[in-house]
Amino acid sequence: MSFTAPTPGSELRLALPNVDDNISLDGEPDFFDDGDPAIASRMVKLTPSGTRERVITVKREGDYRVMAEFDLRVRSGSPSADGKPTHLSANERARYLRHEPDSLPVNNRSVSRVLAEAEGKWTTQEELLEWLFEYCAVQIKQPAPGSQSDGVLGVLDSMVASPTDRAQTFATLCRAAGMPARLVAGFELRNSEEVEQRVWVEVFRQNTWTPFDPEYGYSRVMPVDHVVTRRDGRRIVRTSLPNAVTNLKTRYAIVRRAPAADALRADMKNPLQVFDLTRMPVEMHEVLKLLLLLPMGALVTALFRNVIGVPTFGTFAPALFAASFVYADWISGLVVLAVVLSAGFIGRTLIERLRLLMVPRLSIILTTIILCVVFGVSALDYLELTPSANAVLLPLVIVTTLIERIYVTIEEDGVTNAGKLALGTVVVATCCFLLLGWEAVGRTLLVYPEIHLLTIAAFIAIGRYTGYRLVELWRFRDLVDPSTN
């Protein structure tokens, strides 16, 4: 900032970057004034906007040059608006609706003409707000190179506006429509030695200041790389009356800081990185989450079998069934499952007369199932219903190994007992599906796989359980019912 002070006591006011949930200030701002003892400064906070200013005061007339430097740290999120519910007092509301002849001429015929044009095109204030935004963002055009618009009234006459005048026009129309509005000055963070300040608008709606940028079309949210510096004003550096400075010139530069040394060493190999599964390629995350979810399914199965007393086919079959439908299209998965079961039982019945050994018998069943599945997939593709690879492979592998066991159970224990086991398997698999299908569970296990230490502890507790199963308490309820004695 370079300027001329016509009289002692002249002031220059510099707005400081706004600190919020998205922007933090590393340390205090540095000010360089060439050690001139005639320059003094102090910090003030404006109300009700909350803007912080550095007020630079000179003790004698003359030419001055001052530089300010800030170290900002940007986090992810949406900046610009306060984002917090607030309440406007009557005085504050009047402030942000008032007529300002030089910048926001609310009480003007040209402004009233635009609002009259909007009549009949909206039924709610929100619809009117969107109409005004579209009017300023689309209908008002960019000026020709080298030319400038002439304030709000000039914009409404020529329908051509600079970025600042476009924002002022939108704010003026909002105020004229009874919606509190204020200008916001700030920066778009991009590495450059010559940066232009940005101006946009915040409109008070539903107890929140909501951002609008008609120049670039941002509505109700601003990009994360936009930093607010001054609210309720269009200039980051302004003068104070009556002791205004003259010949004011400002130049802004934004430079990306070099990363810290420890950040540069972050990609160095460390044996402990083995335990960080998130470093793996993204395409492997789904497979890793599937593997980490299987112990959770086994835990559910163990709870049902050992504590509740629900029988199932195999120890891990319910968990595997659930996993197969979590990572597959469940509709095509059910179709493939039905084909596998049907082909398996029919094939097992047909080869029973051959009295083969187990391995050749299972191999014939597997071959039969594969042929049925392949032609079934071809039929689905013909009908433009091609299932995913997971929907085909997972039920195929799981069910093939169970068909022999189901068939033997039917022969040895009867259809009733096999039906109970099948029903128990479906119930437990459904519970496993509900748990394994919970996206947050898989994501948490991928980030914190050490959670399975607690899973192992739960297995130990279940393994040491020697009490009655809940189903047994129901089966033998007559023995403990006093009315039966």
Side-chain angles (χ1 to χ4, degrees):
M1 299 165 287
S2 60
F3 59 94
T4 299
T7 60
S10 296
E11 291 185 350
L12 190 66
R13 292 174 173 258
L14 167 66
L16 307 183
N18 183 67
V19 178
D20 54 22
D21 295 338
N22 302 290
I23 301 292
S24 63
L25 194 62
D26 285 359
E28 291 297 322
D30 294 324
F31 289 87
F32 304 94
D33 52 17
D34 298 329
D36 193 334
I39 297 179
S41 65
R42 69 183 190 277
M43 294 289 297
V44 298
K45 187 174 183 179
L46 305 181
T47 56
S49 66
T51 298
R52 297 183 305 141
E53 282 187 333
R54 187 85 172 193
V55 181
I56 302 169
T57 306
V58 298
K59 300 178 181 179
R60 62 171 184 267
E61 62 183 41
D63 296 329
Y64 294 90
R65 182 176 181 273
V66 180
M67 185 174 70
E69 185 178 279
F70 311 89
D71 288 340
L72 301 180
R73 186 177 302 275
V74 184
R75 304 180 182 89
S76 62
S78 176
S80 181
D82 289 341
K84 301 176 182 178
T86 185
H87 174 73
L88 290 185
S89 65
N91 290 336
E92 292 171 346
R93 186 176 183 85
R95 175 185 179 86
Y96 294 121
L97 289 174
R98 71 185 179 186
H99 168 79
E100 299 179 16
D102 295 334
S103 57
L104 304 176
V106 175
N107 301 326
N108 185 273
R109 291 181 178 180
S110 297
V111 176
S112 301
R113 173 178 52 82
V114 175
L115 293 180
E117 182 181 344
E119 290 184 2
K121 300 179 181 179
W122 57 275
T123 56
T124 66
Q125 282 287 90
E126 293 302 321
E127 292 179 353
L128 174 60
L129 178 59
E130 288 300 321
W131 190 92
L132 295 176
F133 178 75
E134 292 295 328
Y135 179 87
C136 295
V138 178
Q139 297 191 38
I140 297 177
K141 306 302 180 181
Q142 297 280 354
S147 63
Q148 292 290 332
S149 55
D150 187 18
V152 174
L153 301 182
V155 169
L156 295 179
D157 288 339
S158 64
M159 297 302 289
V160 174
S162 65
T164 299
D165 284 340
R166 190 188 301 269
Q168 290 187 152
T169 302
F170 179 61
T172 300
L173 292 173
C174 288
R175 289 190 178 188
M179 292 178 281
R182 64 188 182 187
L183 297 174
V184 178
F187 293 103
E188 177 186 1
L189 292 180
R190 53 186 179 86
N191 209 45
S192 176
E193 292 292 334
E194 294 289 342
V195 178
E196 295 292 333
Q197 71 168 45
R198 291 285 313 281
V199 180
W200 59 93
V201 179
E202 288 181 353
V203 183
F204 191 75
R205 301 301 301 161
Q206 299 177 353
N207 295 327
T208 303
W209 285 106
T210 305
F212 292 87
D213 184 359
E215 177 67 22
Y216 288 89
Y218 301 126
S219 175
R220 302 180 186 276
V221 66
M222 294 292 291
V224 68
D225 58 356
H226 281 58
V227 178
V228 174
T229 303
R230 180 185 296 282
R231 285 190 165 96
D232 196 14
R234 62 176 181 171
R235 294 187 180 89
I236 294 175
V237 179
R238 68 183 182 96
T239 58
S240 298
L241 296 176
N243 298 319
V245 302
T246 59
N247 300 325
L248 174 63
K249 296 180 180 180
T250 59
R251 186 173 71 87
Y252 306 101
I254 299 177
V255 180
R256 181 179 181 273
R257 295 293 302 268
D262 54 351
L264 296 177
R265 292 194 296 268
D267 59 348
M268 296 180 62
K269 288 192 174 182
N270 188 318
L272 294 178
Q273 292 177 346
V274 173
F275 300 100
D276 181 15
L277 300 180
T278 57
R279 66 180 176 82
M280 302 289 287
V282 176
E283 56 270 16
M284 291 191 64
H285 286 189
E286 292 299 319
V287 177
L288 294 176
K289 285 193 289 187
L290 173 60
L291 294 176
L292 290 170
L293 283 170
L294 288 178
M296 302 299 292
L299 179 61
V300 173
T301 304
L303 183 65
F304 270 90
R305 286 173 61 105
N306 294 77
V307 179
I308 300 177
V310 177
T312 62
F313 279 117
T315 304
F316 305 112
L320 293 173
F321 269 121
S324 67
F325 286 100
V326 167
Y327 289 92
D329 174 18
W330 69 273
I331 297 179
S332 56
L334 285 176
V335 174
V336 172
L337 179 61
V339 172
V340 171
L341 286 174
S342 301
F345 279 109
I346 293 173
R348 179 65 173 80
T349 302
L350 293 177
I351 66 175
E352 176 64 21
R353 299 177 182 178
L354 299 179
R355 299 185 180 279
L356 301 177
L357 297 176
M358 184 182 67
V359 174
R361 186 171 64 241
L362 287 177
S363 300
I364 294 175
I365 295 174
L366 176 63
T367 304
T368 304
I369 291 173
I370 288 176
L371 290 175
C372 292
V373 169
V374 167
F375 290 113
V377 170
S378 178
L380 290 174
D381 180 70
Y382 178 78
L383 298 174
E384 298 182 355
L385 297 173
T386 303
S388 64
N390 289 340
V392 174
L393 293 178
L394 290 175
L396 176 67
V397 173
I398 297 166
V399 177
T400 301
T401 59
L402 288 178
I403 287 176
E404 180 72 12
R405 183 167 184 176
I406 296 172
Y407 198 90
V408 172
T409 303
I410 293 175
E411 287 186 338
E412 295 181 352
D413 301 327
V415 177
T416 302
N417 188 59
K420 292 180 179 179
L421 291 175
L423 179 61
T425 302
V426 171
V427 171
V428 177
T430 302
C431 294
C432 291
F433 176 80
L434 295 176
L435 175 63
L436 304 189
W438 196 352
E439 177 63 23
V441 175
R443 186 168 56 249
T444 302
L445 288 174
L446 184 67
V447 178
Y448 305 106
E450 59 272 16
I451 290 177
H452 276 316
L453 295 176
L454 299 177
T455 305
I456 295 175
F459 280 128
I460 293 175
I462 294 175
R464 290 180 174 271
Y465 178 74
T466 57
Y468 289 104
R469 295 185 175 96
L470 299 181
V471 173
E472 292 175 343
L473 293 176
W474 181 80
R475 286 174 56 193
F476 302 110
R477 64 188 182 280
D478 293 339
L479 299 178
V480 296
D481 188 354
S483 63
T484 61
N485 295 332

